[in-house]
Amino acid sequence: IVAVVLFELYGVASLGAPVRFGGVLGLDLVFGAAGWACLRSRRLNLVGHTYVAIAALQAPLVFVAGYAFFALQQKGISVDLALLVTGLACAILYATLALRLHSHAYAVLALSALPVAWFGGVDLAEIGAWRGPAFGALVTIYALIAFRSDRVGKVGDLFARFAIPFVHGAAGFAAGLTLY
């Protein structure tokens, strides 16, 4: 992960955006594919989980690399849209991994990616002083996850167990934005 960050910061600009982005994406896909392959073997289960975790944690960096290397801001793609797409894609990826691997850590990452997407979407809507109340709607989503998803069974329990702190965090952030 540190190598990817360093490559993004100091990568050779003469290689061009497609090659540099391909390197970051390729590295992420190699870790993901190796992880899934190792998960099929009982003896390599720990290695598989480690490689999948590295690929999952590099996913936001792939989006950053695409945004930076292709100079998308100069092409009219706002930071807010990039946050919305990145946050939503990461939330879906992490939720899928949480469900497939029955992992609480990925459930927490999925819950953590939601405010990134929400913040990007709220700012993309350009609602000005209504940012705080609009962010307050995320409190409702977290509350539904916390108090309704546990009725789904073990699947919902992955998320419900950790959603309550996110309810309070989102409420506090929304109140702060509103007062600001």
Side-chain angles (χ1 to χ4, degrees):
I1 292 171
V2 171
V4 170
V5 170
L6 290 174
F7 181 75
E8 287 182 16
L9 293 175
Y10 305 110
V12 181
S14 63
L15 291 177
V19 174
R20 293 188 310 166
F21 178 72
V24 173
L25 178 62
L27 180 66
D28 193 38
L29 292 175
V30 165
F31 273 110
W36 281 113
C38 290
L39 284 175
R40 295 179 184 264
S41 168
R42 177 176 274 177
R43 294 181 346 172
L44 297 175
N45 200 18
L46 179 61
V47 173
H49 280 283
T50 303
Y51 283 179
V52 168
I54 291 170
L57 293 174
Q58 283 184 174
L61 296 175
V62 172
F63 284 95
V64 169
Y67 192 78
F69 292 161
F70 290 113
L72 295 180
Q73 188 166 17
Q74 287 82 4
K75 295 178 182 172
I77 305 294
S78 69
V79 173
D80 298 328
L81 180 59
L83 284 173
L84 173 64
V85 170
T86 301
L88 195 56
C90 287
I92 291 169
L93 170 68
Y94 297 145
T96 302
L97 288 172
L99 295 173
R100 296 276 303 192
L101 300 176
H102 305 288
S103 170
H104 294 291
Y106 292 120
V108 170
L109 286 173
L111 293 171
S112 299
L114 279 178
V116 174
W118 199 268
F119 196 70
V122 166
D123 280 354
L124 191 62
E126 297 180 2
I127 55 178
W130 288 96
R131 287 173 66 209
F135 206 90
L138 186 59
V139 176
T140 304
I141 293 171
Y142 280 137
L144 288 172
I145 292 170
F147 300 113
R148 293 287 185 203
S149 64
D150 60 346
R151 296 179 187 199
V152 179
K154 284 186 175 182
V155 170
D157 185 49
L158 280 171
F159 298 95
R161 171 186 264 175
F162 299 103
I164 292 175
F166 285 95
V167 171
H168 297 294
F173 189 76
L177 273 179
T178 303
L179 293 174
Y180 177 69

